[in-house]
Amino acid sequence: MTMRFEQILAEGIAQCSYLLGDTGSGTAAVVDPRPDCDIYIERAKALGLTITHVFETHIHADFLSGARELVDRLDGTPKLCVSVEGGAEYDFAHEGIRDGDKFTFGQLTLETRHTPGHTPEHVSFLLYEKDNDDPWGVLSGDAFFVDSVGRPDLLGDDKTEELTEALFRTTQEFYMQLPEGVLVYPCHGAGSACGPNIGDRMSTSIAYEKAHNKYVQITDLEAFKDEMTKDAPPVPTHYPRLKKVNAAGPEVMHGLPRCIGKTPEEFEALIAKDDVQLVDLRDMLAFGGGFIEGSINIGLQPILSVWAGWTLDPDKPIALVSEKTTDINEAVLRLWRVGFTKFAGYLNGGIAAWRTSGRPLAHIPQVTVQELKGSDLTPLDVRKNEEWDGGRIPGAIHHFLGTLEDEMDQLDRSADYAVYCQGGYRASVAASLLHRAGFKNVSAVPGSFGAWSAQDYPVET
């Protein structure tokens, strides 16, 4: 008999889910699954386990829950268990769980503990070996992170103070009272906006956090409130939407959402429709050299999920352009993780098919840091506030990418903007948004601030 415990990372959204069980009983549970759920089914099969339960720590805001998808893929057999603490309600079939509920999988026991603050219904799961009263681990969801804690401001200003107080109590009265040897396995890692300044490690211990986590070291409520307010990252636009979708119950897709290939003629007619969003998945240099007018450049990297969530409309179907048509399934998967399930189609043969057909291409100049230095171009910084505050190109103006579309009226349409971020990815997203909105004197800076700094060029703080 062997206890099995696997942490499964979804890069880009920096989301951690868990498969845990026992080969003696042959039973297992999945906690906080993502929608592309084949990985849990395949791992359980490889380990000789049957998934009997699917748990959620809370109603997620940053990614599309895969709980219903996973249960459906397993013919509806597993129990779908969600917290009904804090008055939580759901519009799908479920089994409600509360503080103190226990579930046993062979030698492994999960104990539900109500840990509100990030959300009112949030629960954590203490992990025990059978017949042992001391937990060896805790699945902390979004209540507690490496070097951080969950943010309490996702339900709006009228709930933030109440949730911040609840989070303080959860931190001090639950987490800081656990034995120091308990291992902590959170739902998110570095890069997620579900908590401020989340650390790089994928797990931690109570002892380490007591020694190094500044949020748990604050034992005064008012000081805790001030620190959480000061450090809160911007709320991505897709968070409030996904919170509602996950409470209602995401549509079960029975696998990857469909996205059908189109000829250049069909694709041209498709993107002429007002409600279709055109996304180009290529690298910024390839995109800038020639793209279909109206495209947004969100490159096919793991971070695509996050910036698609910020910039795309879930109610409008998405049309995809790539370098290779083999990239399409990966793009659909990453978009699905943040709730996009409507796809108008993709350009079969990639951008080469469009180019070969003789159809027109638009361009965004790519300006090196050498060309930018000493030029008359206005540097436009689209990084986060803390990046801007840490140092920027002299003479730059600042508009965070996540709010750029709402702030375009503050920009001078006659100015020559050179858009930069840290490495270039976000700069190309921003430049494409500006171009689509009618800004024609826009360029993007490959390498961006990282390249500027590498050349030891002057930095303004």
Side-chain angles (χ1 to χ4, degrees):
M1 295 184 295
T2 304
M3 187 183 299
R4 306 305 302 225
F5 180 91
E6 297 197 8
Q7 182 186 62
I8 297 168
L9 173 66
E11 295 186 32
I13 57 174
Q15 186 264 336
C16 299
S17 51
Y18 297 88
L19 172 70
L20 58 166
D22 180 276
T23 57
S25 66
T27 57
V30 175
V31 180
D32 292 331
R34 66 202 198 198
D36 48 309
C37 57
D38 284 349
I39 189 167
Y40 312 110
I41 298 170
E42 292 169 0
R43 288 303 301 149
K45 183 179 180 180
L47 296 170
L49 299 173
T50 298
I51 298 171
T52 60
H53 292 71
V54 177
F55 295 101
E56 296 270 48
T57 53
H58 64 292
I59 302 171
H60 301 285
D62 63 298
F63 72 100
L64 190 72
S65 167
R68 295 187 72 229
E69 188 77 25
L70 178 55
V71 170
D72 177 79
R73 291 289 302 279
L74 295 171
D75 294 332
T77 301
K79 296 178 180 178
L80 201 173
C81 302
V82 293
S83 169
V84 291
E85 295 282 6
E89 296 181 350
Y90 307 86
D91 297 332
F92 57 89
H94 64 275
E95 294 204 8
I97 57 175
R98 294 187 176 276
D99 186 78
D101 288 348
K102 295 182 179 181
F103 304 85
T104 299
F105 305 88
Q107 297 297 310
L108 175 66
T109 295
L110 275 69
E111 180 183 0
T112 308
R113 297 302 302 270
H114 185 210
T115 50
H118 179 66
T119 63
E121 80 287 346
H122 194 288
V123 294
S124 301
F125 296 106
L126 290 173
L127 306 175
Y128 298 85
E129 288 188 46
K130 193 173 183 181
D131 301 325
N132 193 327
D133 293 335
D134 296 321
W136 58 266
V138 60
L139 302 179
S140 62
D142 286 15
F144 197 84
F145 295 122
V146 173
D147 298 336
S148 186
V149 292
R151 63 188 302 168
D153 60 344
L154 295 183
L155 296 186
D157 293 342
D158 58 333
K159 291 287 187 181
T160 297
E161 182 169 1
E162 173 189 340
L163 288 174
T164 304
E165 293 177 3
L167 181 65
F168 179 76
R169 292 193 300 272
T170 285
T171 302
Q172 296 299 324
E173 298 174 12
F174 176 70
Y175 277 99
M176 289 302 95
Q177 303 309 312
L178 291 174
E180 291 193 345
V182 168
L183 301 175
V184 180
Y185 298 96
C187 187
H188 290 287
S192 170
C194 287
N197 307 313
I198 299 175
D200 290 335
R201 287 167 291 112
M202 299 298 293
S203 61
T204 187
S205 69
I206 295 298
Y208 189 93
E209 295 307 307
K210 281 185 176 181
H212 300 284
N213 187 327
K214 73 174 184 177
Y215 300 101
V216 308
Q217 294 170 352
I218 301 172
T219 57
D220 176 74
L221 174 59
E222 294 307 316
F224 182 79
K225 288 180 180 179
D226 291 343
E227 198 70 17
M228 293 303 297
T229 300
K230 177 173 69 71
D231 290 350
V235 178
T237 52
H238 59 293
Y239 278 25
R241 167 177 62 83
L242 283 178
K243 177 74 73 173
K244 295 177 181 177
V245 171
N246 285 331
E251 179 185 1
V252 173
M253 303 302 296
H254 310 292
L256 198 68
R258 293 181 64 203
C259 187
I260 307 301
K262 305 289 183 180
T263 65
E265 293 80 7
E266 293 170 330
F267 198 76
E268 185 175 43
L270 185 72
I271 62 176
K273 299 176 182 178
D274 291 338
D275 67 336
V276 173
Q277 303 171 99
L278 181 55
V279 176
D280 193 309
L281 303 167
R282 293 176 295 149
D283 170 85
M284 69 179 298
L285 292 175
F287 175 80
F291 58 90
I292 301 172
E293 188 68 58
S295 300
I296 305 173
N297 180 214
I298 312 179
L300 186 55
Q301 295 183 21
I303 202 67
L304 175 147
S305 301
V306 173
W307 293 112
W310 270 105
T311 57
L312 299 181
D313 185 339
D315 295 324
K316 295 182 178 180
I318 298 170
L320 297 172
V321 177
S322 64
E323 195 72 52
K324 312 184 297 290
T325 54
T326 52
D327 291 337
I328 297 302
N329 279 355
E330 182 184 347
V332 171
L333 182 150
R334 297 193 181 281
L335 289 162
W336 187 22
R337 287 179 181 171
V338 284
F340 296 101
T341 58
K342 298 178 180 179
F343 294 92
Y346 67 89
L347 178 59
N348 205 4
I351 194 67
W354 185 274
R355 183 174 61 244
T356 302
S357 73
R359 287 174 166 77
L361 293 168
H363 309 274
I364 290 178
Q366 307 293 293
V367 176
T368 67
V369 293
Q370 290 81 7
E371 293 168 328
L372 175 59
K373 186 175 182 291
S375 74
D376 294 329
L377 297 171
T378 299
L380 173 57
D381 190 319
V382 296
R383 296 175 300 162
K384 294 182 288 188
N385 289 344
E386 56 265 34
E387 294 175 287
W388 164 264
D389 291 340
R392 61 260 190 183
I393 296 175
I397 62 173
H398 181 232
H399 288 276
F400 169 56
L401 172 57
T403 55
L404 177 63
E405 286 193 276
D406 294 331
E407 299 171 1
M408 284 185 183
D409 288 345
Q410 302 172 29
L411 296 174
D412 181 358
R413 287 179 177 268
S414 65
D416 292 332
Y417 291 114
V419 188
Y420 76 92
C421 59
Q422 186 61 34
Y425 184 96
R426 290 172 288 173
S428 195
V429 179
S432 67
L433 288 170
L434 289 165
H435 182 93
R436 189 183 68 168
F439 288 78
K440 299 305 180 185
N441 302 321
V442 173
S443 57
V445 184
S448 284
F449 189 71
W452 182 274
S453 300
Q455 293 296 310
D456 291 326
Y457 290 162
V459 172
E460 185 177 87
T461 59

